[in-house]
């Protein structure tokens, strides 16, 4: 996969003609695109394909439509048109080999978008599974609507040659074929012989005749063979892509885009938690289970008994996310702050902020804890000690801090090195492994995710009690710090 | 009969058993051949020691290693796991199981809701017939449908049987593949809250199910009588709950409840009622089209522990290990001979090592037969493996000679 991003669009012609590159509406996505596209098109294509896949998910799960039933296809096509994704509607409607400029353009977008999403969805097993499931549905739908001639072309283009069994062979087993297959006109069908593991979905449901390790399938069951091939190919490609993420993530704009992509849809925003964490355990938790960004905020607060606004926001929302109640939170901040100020001052100037975080003041929105992306990309000013330490700390400071904690110099060196190269979240993951003395290699995109993963490992280190009552308030991310009503100027 | 089973004695007897009677040589050949192309040292063994200490990730390089390890640890239980990408003892987080026999585990405790002679750990000649049926049905499906040839059947030492498929294709099958085979073979579904556990629909009956029914028919009436599936009032009620049609159910109940308790008579009466009812009620006929077949399957078809089959890394008791609770040897048997197997003729470690035991002579013979059965399977496995490797080499040479095309599973 070779995406080169240019700030300004520089169109290098795709090698060979469009007709050679995109001869058919349906493709196996074997070869990655090598053209240059600008960031804006990159983003648009990615979002549009997420919308497409999301539509497919809605069709089967929310709408309960059976895959490839008439209602299903109708619903999907309708949705695509209303969402303005005409090129996907075009590709999904007939899957042919027409040669108009619009056809080529649709195929090109399909091709590029598929590869962008591979990058976004190769990160975790969960994401991979979701992505593969949707892409499979898409593939099956497009194959199902394909007409005879286009099918032949598709097979030829992909070098799929299967020879049907002879009439004699077929006559010998025709009795069994009739017994095993749910079709009426078996006599008129041509049959093909493939290994049983090429059509596992048919084996699983006992919808195929098996003999001596071979499955005998009619032409219409080839979708099973093709989707199995496609699935294997896709899974392997995703595994490879995830190993090469580091290279791609040199470009920060790409990182944020790709990570935000799935979070905009499926990510947990940690604004509601099921557990309760007592504030008495924060000291020990900060050593074992906090990511460095939160650990340093906690230490700063304990040491200076104060945090500036940005820090209070970042840390306060994080604490809410791990399960510190509003009451505890107020007590926590109050205990620290009143070491350097009068109680009255705290109540007047700071308590509001705390309640604000919990959606009890101001616009009463239930704010979500910040994602890594947001923390990394929010500028920090003098005197601030929030932000992401891998991004916002000088190399030497970071190094001294980690060495001061007593971690193995070799590991510290690796963390610092990753941070220096701009792989902030990978550095964070390395830190995670160092702290836990394990080789987990997490993909970290949220401080609260870091915390949860850590707790999973430590298990039993703290008591997690179920929360008794839960107030549901409309969730919203704080997108604009200026837009909030603060007591203290930023 | 066998002398009283005593677990304390085991620790003294096991070293002798492992040295003198355990077929170490053939066992190591089986493991080696079944691990290829990876070295046998990548294969996980696990031991359970006298005090229930459980050691995983053991491995051996050769027979000598194996003998040393057995003598050092004297395992009371000996299990076999998968083939890793590295030596399992140095397994790290990135070590993965690359291959593993396709295995099946059938245990009589899963039949407790239908067997009436014994429950739980108990087993007798009567309920052993369920195992015979299971073995015949699964063996046939593996050979005829999936084309597997190297299939090892092992008595689990107490109340069940294990099946190991060592064909290369089976060993390298991924999890979805194993899952698909397990599902293909699994016909009985639903928990305690579901009375009718088999649904064949109303289309044709699949060839493999038809074949299974033919096997069941050889045993059905005998089982029906011995187990008395529908003899007492309780059992009759359980049986009636399977009926998907209320009228058929009440008609059946009326007639059967008045009859004598003999299950076979009752069954024949039921068949009559059913046939008439089916003929006369074309509207409900779809629902009950295969009711007879469904009942037979519910009462006789193998009840697989599918998780064992689906899993890639399930540890399973080794052939010829000693069951720690019964002292019985996990003997290898021929699937065709399952029906002649007598449970009290299975050798135990006590009868084998005690020449004063009345069973000693017979059990020695039976042990030799079991080892011979094992040998036959291993020899044939070695032969197919050698052939497969030769073929692969030839294909590889040929594809170098021609063009290096993407060698996928399909003929691309
Ligand atoms: S990557 Fe995320 S969790 Fe780690 S330090 Fe940065 S912001 Fe905190
Ligand atoms: Zn019994």
């Amino acid at each position: 996969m070779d995406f080169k991003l240019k700030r300004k669009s520089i169109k290098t012609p795709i090698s060979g003609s469009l007709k050679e590159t995109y001869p058919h509406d349906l493709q196996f996505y074997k070869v990655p695109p090598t053209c240059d596209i600008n960031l804006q098109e990159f983003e648009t294509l990615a979002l549009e394909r997420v919308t497409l896949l999301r539509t497919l998910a809605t069709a089967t799960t929310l709408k309960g439509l059976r895959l490839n039933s008439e209602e299903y296809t109708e619903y999907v096509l309708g949705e695509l048109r209303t969402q303005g994704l005409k090129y996907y509607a075009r590709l999904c409607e007939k899957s042919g080999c027409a040669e108009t400029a619009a056809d080529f353009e649709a195929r090109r977008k399909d091709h590029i978008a598929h590869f962008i999403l591979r990058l976004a969805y190769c990160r975790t097993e969960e994401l991979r599974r979701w992505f593969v499931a949707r892409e499979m549905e898409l593939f099956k739908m497009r194959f199902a609507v394909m007409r005879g001639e286009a099918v032949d072309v598709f097979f030829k283009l992909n070098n799929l040659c299967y020879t049907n069994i002879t009439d004699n062979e077929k006559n010998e087993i025709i009795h069994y074929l009739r017994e095993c297959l749910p079709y009426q006109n078996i006599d008129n069908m041509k049959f093909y012989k493939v290994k049983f593991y090429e059509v596992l979905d048919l084996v699983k449901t006992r919808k195929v005749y098996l003999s001596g390790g071979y499955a005998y399938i009619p032409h219409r069951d080839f979708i099973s063979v093709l989707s199995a091939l496609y699935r294997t190919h896709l899974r392997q490609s995703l595994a490879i892509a995830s190993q090469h993420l580091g290279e791609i993530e040199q470009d920060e704009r790409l990182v944020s885009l790709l990570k935000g992509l799935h979070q905009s849809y499926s990510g947990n925003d940690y604004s509601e938690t099921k557990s309760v964490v007592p504030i008495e355990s924060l000291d020990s938790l900060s050593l074992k289970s906090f990511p460095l960004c939160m650990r340093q905020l906690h230490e700063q607060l304990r040491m200076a008994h104060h945090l500036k606004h940005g820090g209070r926001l970042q840390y306060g929302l994080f604490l809410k996310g791990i399960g510190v109640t509003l009451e505890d939170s107020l007590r926590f901040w109050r205990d620290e702050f009143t070491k350097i100020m009068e109680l009255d001052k705290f109540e007047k100037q700071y308590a509001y902020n705390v309640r604000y975080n919990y959606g009890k003041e101001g616009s009463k929105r239930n704010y979500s804890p910040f994602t890594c992306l947001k923390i990394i990309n929010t500028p920090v000013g003098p005197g601030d000690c929030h932000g992401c330490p891998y991004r916002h700390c000088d190399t030497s400071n970071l190094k001294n801090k980690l060495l001061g904690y007593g971690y193995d110099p070799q590991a510290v060196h690796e963390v610092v090195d990753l941070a220096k190269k701009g792989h902030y979240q990978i550095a964070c993951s390395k830190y995670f492994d160092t702290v836990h003395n394990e080789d987990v290699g997490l993909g970290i995109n949220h401080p609260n995710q870091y915390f949860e993963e850590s707790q999973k490992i430590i298990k039993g280190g703290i008591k997690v009690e179920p929360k008794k009552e839960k107030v549901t308030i409309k969730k919203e991310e704080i997108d604009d710090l200026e837009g909030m009503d603060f007591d203290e100027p930023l | 009969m066998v002398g009283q089973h005593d677990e304390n004695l085991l620790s003294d007897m096991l070293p002798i058993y492992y040295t003198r009677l355990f077929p170490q040589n053939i066992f190591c050949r089986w493991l080696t051949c079944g691990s290829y192309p990876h070295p046998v040292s990548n294969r996980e063994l696990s031991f359970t020691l006298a005090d229930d200490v459980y050691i995983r990730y053991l491995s051996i390089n050769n027979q000598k290693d194996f003998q040393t390890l057995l003598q050092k640890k004297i395992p009371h239980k000996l299990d076999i796991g998968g083939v890793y990408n590295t030596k399992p003892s140095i397994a790290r987080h990135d070590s993965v199981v690359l291959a593993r026999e396709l295995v099946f585990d059938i245990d009589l405790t899963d039949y407790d809701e239908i067997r009436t002679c014994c429950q739980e750990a108990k087993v007798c000649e009567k309920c052993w017939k369920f195992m015979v049926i299971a073995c015949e049905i699964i063996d046939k499906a593996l050979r005829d449908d999936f084309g597997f040839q190297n299939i090892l059947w092992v008595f689990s030492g107490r109340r069940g049987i294990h099946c190991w498929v060592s064909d290369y294709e089976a060993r390298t099958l991924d999890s979805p593949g194993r899952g698909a085979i397990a599902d293909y073979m699994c016909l009985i579904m639903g928990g305690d809250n579901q009375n009718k556990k088999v649904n064949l629909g109303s289309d044709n009956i699949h060839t493999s199910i038809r074949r299974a029914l033919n096997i069941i028919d050889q045993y059905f009436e005998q089982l029906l009588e011995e187990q008395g599936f529908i003899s007492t009032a309780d059992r009759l009620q359980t049986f009636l709950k399977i009926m998907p049609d209320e009228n058929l159910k009440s008609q059946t109940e009326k007639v059967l409840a008045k009859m004598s308790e003999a299950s076979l008579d009752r069954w024949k009466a039921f068949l009559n009622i059913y046939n008439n009812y089916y003929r006369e009620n074309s509207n409900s006929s779809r629902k009950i089209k295969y009711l007879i077949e469904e009942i037979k399957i519910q009462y006789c078809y193998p009840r697989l522990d599918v998780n064992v089959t689906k899993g890639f890394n399930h540890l399973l008791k080794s052939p010829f290990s000693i069951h720690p609770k019964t002292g019985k040897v996990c003997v290898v048997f021929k699937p065709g001979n399952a029906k002649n197997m007598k449970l009290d003729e299975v050798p135990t470690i006590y009868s084998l090592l005690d020449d004063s035991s009345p069973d000693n002579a017979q059990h020695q013979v039976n042990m030799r037969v079991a080892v011979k059965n094992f040998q036959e399977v291993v020899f044939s496995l070695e032969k197919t493996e050698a052939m497969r490797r030769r073929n692969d080499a030839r294909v590889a040479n040929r594809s170098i000679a021609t063009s290096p095309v993407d060698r996928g599973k399909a003929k691309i």
Side-chain angles (χ1 to χ4, degrees):
Chain A
M1 257 154 288
D2 180 20
F3 284 115
K4 280 177 244 122
L5 285 188
K6 301 277 152 66
R7 271 185 208 283
K8 282 190 197 111
S9 165
I10 304 162
K11 284 253 188 306
T12 43
I14 299 164
S15 53
S17 71
L18 279 168
K19 195 181 159 188
E20 262 168 49
T21 321
Y22 299 120
H24 200 290
D25 277 342
L26 188 61
Q27 45 181 316
F28 266 133
Y29 311 102
K30 287 243 157 111
V31 187
T34 48
C35 52
D36 288 346
I37 61 171
N38 65 25
L39 189 58
Q40 202 189 346
E41 187 182 12
F42 185 91
E43 183 165 13
T44 311
L45 286 177
L47 287 173
E48 286 177 348
R49 198 173 186 88
V50 172
T51 308
L52 163 69
L53 299 186
R54 209 187 301 181
T55 307
L56 298 177
T58 312
T60 48
T61 51
L62 285 179
K63 300 279 169 209
L65 301 174
R66 199 167 43 81
L67 193 64
N68 286 344
S69 61
E70 252 171 66
E71 304 81 34
Y72 172 90
T73 317
E74 208 171 287
Y75 170 80
V76 173
L77 290 176
E79 277 297 296
L80 293 179
R81 285 194 194 100
T82 32
Q83 308 247 28
L85 302 177
K86 294 222 176 58
Y87 64 101
Y88 278 131
R90 182 185 200 104
L91 290 173
C92 295
E93 195 169 13
K94 50 176 178 43
S95 274
C97 2
E99 294 181 1
T100 71
D103 286 306
F104 291 133
E105 182 57 11
R107 290 168 203 162
R108 188 185 76 92
K109 286 178 165 176
D110 171 45
H111 183 215
I112 297 173
H114 169 87
F115 275 90
I116 298 176
L117 257 55
R118 277 194 192 177
L119 297 178
Y121 281 90
C122 65
R123 283 149 207 277
T124 68
E125 179 54 29
E126 208 179 318
L127 287 174
R128 284 195 286 267
R129 212 174 291 146
W130 189 88
F131 179 67
V132 171
R134 298 294 88 74
E135 285 283 339
M136 293 308 297
E137 287 167 10
L138 180 62
F139 184 83
K140 283 183 186 168
M141 173 168 89
R142 292 167 68 177
F143 187 81
V145 297
M146 216 190 279
R147 296 274 153 263
E149 202 188 319
V151 176
D152 293 341
V153 177
F154 181 78
F155 272 75
K156 210 171 284 156
L157 285 170
N158 288 287
N159 292 322
L160 299 161
C161 51
Y162 293 87
T163 22
N164 53 298
I165 60 173
T166 65
D167 284 349
N168 274 344
E169 263 181 287
K170 183 182 163 189
N171 285 333
E172 269 170 42
I173 56 167
I174 188 116
H175 170 68
Y176 303 117
L177 294 175
R178 286 201 192 107
E179 229 170 32
C180 298
L181 296 169
Y183 307 127
Q184 295 306 319
N185 52 339
I186 299 234
D187 292 7
N188 304 325
M189 289 176 171
K190 278 184 179 157
F191 275 84
Y192 300 80
K193 194 173 153 180
V194 298
K195 287 302 286 187
F196 78 86
Y197 48 70
E198 293 182 69
V199 287
L200 289 179
D201 54 338
L202 298 177
V203 171
K204 199 180 177 67
T205 48
R206 240 177 275 108
K207 288 208 173 76
V208 63
Y209 170 61
L210 291 182
S211 178
Y214 288 94
Y216 292 81
I217 58 167
H219 206 279
R220 61 192 295 174
D221 279 342
F222 258 103
I223 181 63
S224 293
V225 179
L226 298 185
S227 39
L229 276 176
Y230 180 49
R231 172 181 281 120
T232 313
H233 164 64
L234 199 50
R235 287 216 70 102
Q236 282 167 356
S237 312
L238 287 175
I240 295 168
S242 73
Q243 286 161 15
H244 293 283
L245 268 184
E247 299 159 24
I248 298 149
E249 297 193 332
Q250 305 279 8
D251 191 319
E252 232 176 79
R253 294 163 302 160
L254 265 185
V255 177
S256 54
L257 209 156
L258 291 173
K259 292 209 166 145
L261 203 55
H262 81 85
Q263 252 162 15
S264 69
Y265 171 55
S266 58
N268 182 352
D269 65 9
Y270 301 97
S271 63
E272 278 162 32
T273 163
K274 280 173 222 72
S275 49
V276 174
V277 170
I279 51 171
E280 286 74 19
S281 60
L282 291 182
D283 284 335
S284 64
L285 282 175
S286 73
L287 300 180
K288 269 307 236 176
S289 289
F290 283 12
L292 194 55
C293 52
M294 299 304 168
R295 183 174 178 177
Q296 67 176 18
L297 281 170
H298 183 79
E299 283 166 357
Q300 176 68 16
L301 177 63
R302 286 287 195 227
M303 203 173 68
H305 315 295
H306 189 268
L307 281 181
K308 291 189 69 175
H309 179 264
R312 293 204 304 277
L313 200 58
Q314 181 179 324
Y315 191 38
L317 287 171
F318 169 78
L319 289 179
K320 181 180 82 162
I322 67 172
V324 176
T325 63
L326 172 60
E327 290 70 25
D328 272 3
S329 209
L330 279 167
R331 192 152 55 89
F332 176 66
W333 294 102
R334 188 191 300 128
D335 287 353
E336 284 303 332
F337 276 52
T338 50
K339 284 176 183 156
I340 54 161
M341 64 178 76
E342 295 298 323
L343 177 64
D344 197 35
K345 188 177 175 196
F346 174 80
E347 292 295 348
K348 277 193 185 131
Q349 292 196 3
Y350 300 96
Y352 178 95
N353 268 187
V354 178
R355 286 197 296 272
Y356 187 96
N357 284 348
Y358 282 77
K360 300 290 183 201
E361 296 285 5
S363 55
K364 307 218 168 167
R365 292 183 293 189
N366 187 13
Y367 295 108
S368 314
F370 293 165
T371 62
C372 285
L373 213 59
K374 184 168 184 72
I375 296 173
I376 291 171
N377 291 330
T378 306
V380 294
D384 277 336
C385 50
H386 67 280
C388 177
Y390 308 112
R391 166 77 195 268
H392 300 116
C393 270
D394 285 343
T395 309
S396 59
N397 283 353
L398 180 63
K399 191 170 165 189
N400 289 339
K401 191 189 287 273
L402 291 174
L403 287 174
Y405 289 151
Y407 294 123
D408 168 47
Q410 177 57 34
V412 170
H413 177 78
E414 282 183 58
V415 174
V416 174
D417 207 37
L418 283 164
K420 210 161 50 183
K421 286 186 185 141
H423 304 310
Y424 313 122
Q425 284 153 298
I426 304 175
C428 188
S429 166
K430 180 74 203 165
Y431 170 81
F432 182 100
D433 288 354
T434 309
V435 171
H436 296 87
N437 221 341
E438 258 179 72
D439 214 348
V440 205
L442 275 180
I444 289 167
N445 53 45
H446 201 297
N448 290 78
Q449 171 220 1
Y450 180 111
F451 177 81
E452 283 189 5
E453 293 295 344
S454 164
Q455 286 294 296
K456 266 187 228 157
I457 292 182
I458 298 166
K459 238 188 266 163
I462 60 150
K463 240 219 190 121
V464 181
E465 302 158 358
K467 213 184 209 172
K468 279 178 206 95
E469 41 140 13
K470 208 164 80 184
V471 200
T472 14
I473 310 169
K474 198 174 155 237
K475 292 179 276 178
E476 240 171 278
E477 262 228 39
I478 309 173
D479 282 315
D480 182 7
L481 287 173
E482 268 89 17
M484 289 173 58
D485 36 344
F486 300 121
D487 289 344
E488 193 184 34
L490 276 170
Chain B
M1 265 313 292
V2 191
Q4 252 338 63
H5 156 74
D6 182 350
E7 270 184 70
N8 293 330
L9 271 178
L10 270 182
S11 299
D12 298 333
M13 300 175 96
L14 279 169
I16 312 171
Y17 172 80
Y18 285 135
T19 311
R20 274 208 252 142
L21 294 162
F22 189 97
Q24 284 184 18
N25 176 273
I26 206 76
F27 174 87
C28 291
R29 283 170 69 173
W30 178 60
L31 271 198
T32 307
C33 197
S35 305
Y36 189 85
H38 310 282
V40 69
S41 55
N42 286 11
R43 167 81 75 158
E44 176 181 2
L45 297 179
S46 88
F47 286 2
T48 311
L49 309 185
D51 40 8
D52 271 342
V53 172
Y54 184 45
I55 319 177
R56 280 198 64 176
Y57 307 117
L58 295 166
S59 70
I60 52 167
N61 291 308
N62 48 44
Q63 189 186 336
K64 201 166 138 266
D65 261 13
F66 186 49
Q67 161 73 2
T68 319
L69 196 63
L70 286 175
Q71 294 308 322
K72 205 168 88 194
K73 307 268 186 206
I74 318 173
H76 281 220
K77 197 159 161 281
L78 168 53
D79 291 314
I80 300 174
V83 183
Y84 285 76
N85 55 342
T86 150
K87 230 172 126 122
S89 53
I90 54 162
R92 294 171 323 180
H93 72 279
D94 59 347
S95 66
V96 281
V97 179
L98 297 176
R100 155 68 155 168
E101 286 82 2
L102 175 68
V103 292
F104 295 88
D105 179 6
I106 310 124
D107 193 296
L108 270 171
T109 42
D110 290 325
Y111 289 72
D112 279 356
E113 62 169 29
I114 47 167
R115 61 177 178 156
T116 59
C117 52
C118 312
Q119 289 287 288
E120 289 166 23
K122 294 219 182 64
V123 49
C124 70
E125 298 299 334
K126 283 185 199 161
C127 49
W128 186 251
K129 285 209 180 66
F130 290 115
M131 292 298 101
V132 175
I133 295 176
C135 168
E136 289 187 14
I137 288 178
I138 294 171
D139 193 71
K140 205 94 176 90
L142 290 172
R143 287 174 209 273
D144 292 4
D145 298 353
F146 294 97
F148 296 133
Q149 295 166 3
N150 301 289
I151 304 171
L152 186 75
W153 284 94
V154 186
F155 172 52
S156 74
R158 181 148 70 177
R159 54 178 182 211
I161 49 179
H162 296 160
C163 171
W164 302 71
V165 187
S166 294
D167 293 68
Y168 183 75
E169 262 173 22
R171 279 180 356 237
T172 50
L173 202 60
D174 58 2
S175 286
R178 285 160 205 258
I181 295 183
D183 289 338
Y184 179 85
M185 299 218 184
C186 192
L187 292 181
I188 301 172
M189 321 226 221
D192 287 349
N193 297 321
Q194 228 167 307
N195 296 312
K196 187 165 183 279
K197 293 198 165 64
V198 184
N199 253 308
L200 298 181
S202 58
D203 293 341
N204 289 329
I205 288 191
H206 193 274
T207 307
S208 70
I209 301 180
R210 174 86 46 220
R211 185 185 53 220
L213 282 163
N214 287 337
I215 295 174
I216 289 176
D217 277 338
Q218 297 165 28
Y219 299 91
F220 185 71
E221 295 198 344
Q222 198 185 354
L223 264 173
L224 189 64
E225 270 189 303
E226 285 176 359
Q227 296 287 336
F229 285 142
I230 47 177
S231 59
T232 67
D234 278 3
R235 292 177 199 163
L236 182 58
Q237 278 311 315
T238 317
F239 171 72
L240 288 168
K241 281 192 197 129
I242 302 176
M243 310 280 143
D245 183 294
E246 283 304 317
N247 289 328
L248 175 63
K249 182 174 167 182
S250 59
Q251 278 186 31
T252 309
E253 181 168 20
K254 229 180 280 165
V255 178
L256 265 56
K258 275 188 297 198
M259 294 179 63
S260 81
E261 286 206 339
S263 282
L264 189 54
D265 294 346
R266 284 184 166 189
W267 175 254
K268 284 184 174 151
F270 168 69
L271 286 181
N272 262 328
I273 299 167
Y274 169 83
N275 286 330
N276 288 330
Y277 190 87
Y278 184 69
R279 217 176 303 125
E280 284 159 18
N281 294 275
S282 48
N283 49 341
S284 65
S285 62
R286 276 178 74 84
K287 236 180 356 185
I288 58 167
K289 184 169 179 191
Y290 293 122
L291 183 60
I292 302 297
E293 287 82 358
E294 287 165 340
I295 292 172
K296 286 179 176 172
I297 289 173
Q298 181 151 345
Y299 278 103
C300 298
Y301 190 83
R303 295 174 173 235
L304 291 176
D305 184 342
V306 286
N307 291 326
V308 174
T309 304
K310 288 183 181 179
F312 213 35
N313 193 22
H314 208 283
L315 293 156
L316 202 62
K317 208 178 300 133
S318 158
F320 293 99
S321 58
I322 300 293
H323 192 291
K325 292 281 185 299
T326 61
K328 283 186 182 170
V329 179
C330 298
V331 288
V332 170
F333 61 92
K334 286 186 175 164
N337 207 29
K339 55 176 173 288
N340 303 321
M341 201 166 131
K342 297 270 179 302
L343 285 179
D344 52 16
E345 286 174 10
V346 174
T348 71
I349 187 168
Y350 312 106
S351 62
L352 288 174
L353 292 184
D354 175 7
D355 3 315
S356 66
S357 157
D359 293 321
N360 182 270
Q362 184 57 50
H363 282 193
Q364 295 278 9
V365 174
N366 295 350
M367 180 74 178
R368 276 197 292 276
V369 172
V371 173
K372 217 173 125 253
N373 291 338
F374 192 26
Q375 267 171 353
E376 275 175 30
V377 174
V378 176
F379 290 168
S380 115
L381 171 65
E382 287 177 340
K383 217 193 258 163
T384 23
E385 268 296 299
M387 251 155 64
R388 186 183 64 76
R389 280 179 231 169
R390 217 174 313 140
N391 273 339
D392 278 6
R394 209 176 299 146
V395 171
N397 285 335
R398 209 184 303 143
S399 64
I400 290 167
T402 61
S403 71
V405 222
D406 177 12
R407 281 211 306 136
K409 280 172 185 170
K411 288 170 275 174
I412 290 178

